[in-house]
Amino acid sequence: EAYTSSDNSVDYGNNELSRQLSIVARLIKGRLGTKLYMVTLDGFDTHENQNQSHPQLMNNIATAVSAFYDDLAADNMDKSVLSMTFSEFGRRVSENSGGTDHGAAAPMYIIGGKLKSPIVGSNPNLTDLDRGDLKYKIDFRSVYASLIQNNFKIDPKQMGIQNDALRGLF
């Protein structure tokens, strides 16, 4: 009912992430009431030819997320939705065959909602490495803890997670 009672107000383009986000937008605009949605975009396991595939992947994310928030804004719902990207692996600094191996640190993007600060953290040091891996500065678990506390009103300590990395972000 939520899906059929709403529609998309913008053209999402033609990539898998866009299709998924267009469905989520209709469910949100149709007031389904679900607090958490998860969409996926494959293709980031780029051990070779990264210069060919990575720009297209990043463009897919940019156009899909932009369309998603434009769609929500058409119904004044963009400020109440927060999006986050995550990956199960980072990338190493050194190249091999035009790509990179799995690494320890990766960027996370938090978009929309009522964010007070557009950027948290700093650029990675590409020369100060941990056995070839970037050194992370913010533990991803503290990001999850901040999101859980600020958006679901659950005390992350009940789950054994410390919440201090994103102080002042919301």
Side-chain angles (χ1 to χ4, degrees), residues 3-169:
Y3 180 82
T4 57
S5 71
S6 64
D7 58 7
N8 296 119
S9 303
V10 301
D11 178 20
Y12 275 83
N14 188 24
N15 70 64
E16 184 56 31
L17 184 60
S18 291
R19 284 188 286 280
Q20 293 175 61
L21 287 176
S22 71
I23 293 168
V24 171
R26 287 184 66 173
L27 296 173
I28 292 169
K29 290 165 58 169
R31 304 201 186 281
L32 181 62
T34 299
K35 298 279 187 186
L36 181 67
Y37 295 89
M38 183 173 159
V39 297
T40 62
L41 178 61
D42 291 328
F44 283 94
D45 201 357
T46 52
H47 293 276
E48 55 188 31
N49 300 318
Q50 195 166 355
N51 284 340
Q52 286 72 43
S53 59
H54 198 73
Q56 183 60 47
L57 289 165
M58 295 307 291
N59 186 61
N60 287 350
I61 293 172
T63 58
V65 170
S66 180
F68 178 68
Y69 277 96
D70 287 347
D71 195 3
L72 294 174
D75 287 86
N76 290 327
M77 300 181 103
D78 55 319
K79 298 281 189 271
S80 63
V81 175
L82 184 71
S83 300
M84 179 182 82
T85 67
F86 65 91
S87 175
E88 73 271 18
F89 58 85
R91 303 307 307 186
R92 296 190 74 124
V93 175
S94 296
E95 229 182 286
N96 60 349
S97 304
T100 53
D101 283 329
H102 292 214
M108 295 177 81
Y109 299 100
I110 301 174
I111 305 157
K114 297 177 181 172
L115 297 175
K116 293 178 183 172
S117 174
I119 297 175
V120 173
S122 58
N123 289 328
N125 184 326
L126 299 178
T127 57
D128 181 22
L129 304 175
D130 180 13
R131 296 182 312 242
D133 282 325
L134 293 171
K135 294 179 180 177
Y136 67 86
K137 295 186 173 111
I138 298 174
D139 188 317
F140 70 92
R141 293 169 292 194
S142 63
V143 175
Y144 293 164
S146 291
L147 294 172
I148 289 166
Q149 182 173 7
N150 288 289
N151 294 285
F152 297 106
K153 307 304 179 210
I154 298 170
D155 183 358
K157 290 179 184 168
Q158 292 176 338
M159 296 177 288
I161 304 172
Q162 294 301 314
N163 180 21
D164 58 0
L166 302 180
R167 197 174 312 259
L169 182 62

